[in-house]
Amino acid sequence: MKSWKQQTEFVNDAAHELRTPLTIIQGKLEYMLTKPNKTIIDEAEAISVSLDEVNRLNSLTNNLLVLARSDSATTQSNFELTTPDFFLKDPIEPFKDIINSQSKVFQINLLHKPVLNLDRDKIKQLLIILLDNATKYTPQNGTIKIYDQIEGSKYQFIISDTGVGVADNDKKKIFGRFYRVDKSRNTNSGGHGLGLAIAKQIVELHHGNIFVRDNLPHGSEFVVELPIKRNH
Ligand code: ADP
């Protein structure tokens, strides 16, 4: 009953999220049809707004597909033995330029080399979600950092930022589907509240754990904990 209720809720929320951009695009197209003699330049604003909405729809449907496929276990996983040099350093490389170009600082402090059994593509997707959020929710001149540590038989990598932070009441909820802390604030950043739900799903597939804690004096730290296969 619980999982049926969750599915219904998911479909409801998804339909709701799809409806908003569709309504905007429909409105703009209908408006343009009432002005058949105008040129593309005249209607550049309506076209560009529609295109933004199409882009949002694209990323939303991609995310919905990722979640749905994973729910029904139809995605193939590609597990292999690997070390943080490969599964962390390579995917974070492009973020150096992206973060610096936004006048933010990116610090990398990865020291450990345990062997883990994981799907590198999925971990890359997880890193992109977390680094993208850290960048999105941190103002200019802020600092985004990735560092690692070993806790017993677990390897942890931590993405910390000096951004807006997450209130205690939201720390668990943000990993839920479609959950956004402040909807109005996030409309501009274009998210649908699915990123962290996908991140959680990826970590669970790896029998790991993900949680958020405060980064003092401000900002947040997203901790990803994965089981170590063997230590060097
Ligand atoms: P979104 O697409 O809205 O970013 P996510 O699932 O990735 O969706 O994140 C859910 C919510 O968690 C965000 O809307 C935001 O309120 C909060 N959040 C995520 N990452 C951070 C962060 N690094 N700092 C502050 N808040 C964050």
Side-chain angles (χ1 to χ4, degrees), residues 122-174:
K122 295 219 163 67
I123 296 294
K124 181 174 175 181
Q125 198 182 358
L126 165 70
L127 277 167
I128 292 173
I129 292 166
L130 296 178
L131 286 170
D132 197 46
N133 277 347
T135 317
K136 233 166 37 180
Y137 299 111
T138 301
Q140 277 193 357
N141 302 318
T143 302
I144 290 138
K145 189 164 86 182
I146 179 164
Y147 64 98
D148 66 352
Q149 58 197 31
I150 289 184
E151 286 281 329
S153 61
K154 310 270 189 222
Y155 174 69
Q156 291 184 338
F157 65 87
I158 297 119
I159 291 165
S160 88
D161 65 56
T162 57
V164 297
V166 179
D168 283 347
N169 191 32
D170 289 316
K171 283 193 168 76
K172 280 219 165 72
K173 294 186 194 155
I174 54 171

Side-chain angles (χ1 to χ4, degrees), residues 133 136-137 161 174 179-181 186 191-193 195-196 220 222:
N133 277 347
K136 233 166 37 180
Y137 299 111
D161 65 56
I174 54 171
Y179 191 82
R180 281 164 286 174
V181 170
N186 293 335
H192 288 99
L196 289 177
S220 36
F222 284 81

